[in-house]
Amino acid sequence: MQTDDVNFSHDKLINVLTKMLRAEIIVKDFSVSKLHGGTVGDVSLISGDAKTDCGKILPFKVVLKTQKKWERYNDPGSWRREYDFYKSGFENFFDGKLRWPECFHAEMNEAEDQWQAWTEYAEGATGNDLTVEMCAKAAYELGKLQGRLYARKPDILKNFANLSGVDAVKQYYQYYRSWHEVYDYVRAADYITPSCTFNVCHPELAKGLEDSSPAAQNDNCTFSVCLPELAKGLEDSSPAAQNDNCTFSVC
């Protein structure tokens, strides 16, 4: 057996696999490999073969994420937000077309400075392998989800103490603009390129975050990802800029 310095107990693995495979099992063999793509947590893939109590061999893949406490500017509780969502039952708001990997077990340590989550291994394209069409579909489904949440205003969201404020994007930009490299890059004329369809912040939007435009004053409108057409709308008197009850997650 190979553990690759990932910290977990054999009993915990058995419990997770029993829940995932819906059978009493013993683990015959497994290996651990680090997954790449995360930025602030350790993510590993645990794969192998499990044997049921009736002798059937079942191959398995499960992901273990370990997240230590750290503090992001203006968002000190961000390090545990994923854990809190997994423990909340938030998955009940998905409609079948959009979901997150199923979480089989999540726990916080006694010091409350580190958590672990055992989740489903999601097969398929990710990162730079995603096409524009895939991103557009994800954006559409995320928008529908956020619309449902806005319309229903579920009590579950009131229990979170670490959700970002409505002006988080504006504050985040104003903080990082003190870095000349970031400031110059975001405002560069060639920032929008044919290979970059979705952008965190467009130069026109950056300008809107600094002046007295409706976008800068609208405290009820949050933007995670914006396109040039939307950025333009944020600085004029268009309905997009004036709609106080409009929340965009991806545009």
Side-chain angles (χ1 to χ4, degrees):
M1 293 187 296
Q2 177 186 354
T3 59
D4 198 24
D5 297 326
V6 179
N7 184 24
F8 64 90
S9 69
H10 187 268
D11 288 342
K12 184 58 62 61
L13 176 60
I14 292 292
N15 292 337
V16 168
L17 293 179
T18 296
K19 183 176 181 179
M20 183 178 76
L21 300 174
R22 296 176 175 81
E24 295 295 328
I25 59 96
I26 59 174
V27 177
K28 291 187 59 180
D29 191 20
F30 71 90
S31 62
V32 179
S33 58
K34 290 291 183 69
L35 293 177
H36 302 285
T39 57
V40 295
D42 293 324
V43 185
S44 299
L45 174 65
I46 304 170
S47 56
D49 293 316
K51 184 178 180 181
T52 68
D53 52 3
C54 61
K56 185 177 181 180
I57 303 299
L58 299 175
F60 68 84
K61 290 182 179 180
V62 64
V63 173
L64 172 60
K65 179 174 182 177
T66 301
Q67 177 65 68
K68 295 182 179 180
K69 184 176 182 178
W70 69 289
E71 187 167 324
R72 173 185 285 140
Y73 170 76
N74 200 38
D75 195 9
S78 65
W79 71 277
R80 60 171 293 160
R81 186 177 296 128
E82 182 178 356
Y83 165 83
D84 289 338
F85 266 95
Y86 278 139
K87 299 292 284 187
S88 71
F90 184 81
E91 67 274 7
N92 295 323
F93 292 99
F94 298 140
D95 65 356
K97 295 182 179 180
L98 177 73
R99 69 179 183 89
W100 60 34
E102 182 178 355
C103 181
F104 305 110
H105 180 73
E107 62 182 18
M108 181 75 69
N109 66 357
E110 291 185 5
E112 293 197 357
D113 60 3
Q114 177 178 292
W115 58 264
Q116 285 188 327
W118 298 76
T119 67
E120 169 190 4
Y121 177 67
E123 304 276 0
T126 185
N128 292 333
D129 293 330
L130 294 171
T131 65
V132 172
E133 289 75 18
M134 292 177 182
C135 291
K137 182 174 178 59
Y140 177 72
E141 295 300 334
L142 284 169
K144 287 171 59 180
L145 171 62
Q146 191 155 342
R148 288 196 299 274
L149 294 175
Y150 181 81
R152 298 176 186 177
K153 295 180 173 59
D155 290 337
I156 192 174
L157 295 181
K158 300 176 184 178
N159 298 328
F160 288 100
N162 57 359
L163 295 181
S164 299
V166 294
D167 62 344
V169 173
K170 175 182 177 181
Q171 290 193 24
Y172 210 59
Y173 168 74
Q174 290 178 333
Y175 171 71
Y176 278 108
R177 71 178 180 179
S178 62
W179 300 10
H180 294 296
E181 297 85 354
V182 176
Y183 185 87
D184 294 341
Y185 174 72
V186 169
R187 289 173 166 271
D190 59 351
Y191 180 65
I192 303 296
T193 66
S195 62
C196 186
T197 305
F198 296 93
N199 302 278
V200 174
C201 196
H202 183 273
E204 294 301 311
L205 177 61
K207 177 179 180 297
L209 292 175
E210 296 178 343
D211 60 22
S212 57
S213 67
Q217 296 176 339
N218 184 357
D219 289 336
N220 294 318
C221 200
T222 59
F223 303 88
S224 297
V225 183
C226 294
L227 293 178
E229 292 80 4
L230 176 61
K232 180 179 182 300
L234 295 179
E235 295 192 327
D236 58 25
S237 57
S238 67
Q242 295 178 335
N243 187 354
D244 291 340
N245 296 317
C246 191
T247 302
F248 300 86
S249 55
V250 182
C251 302

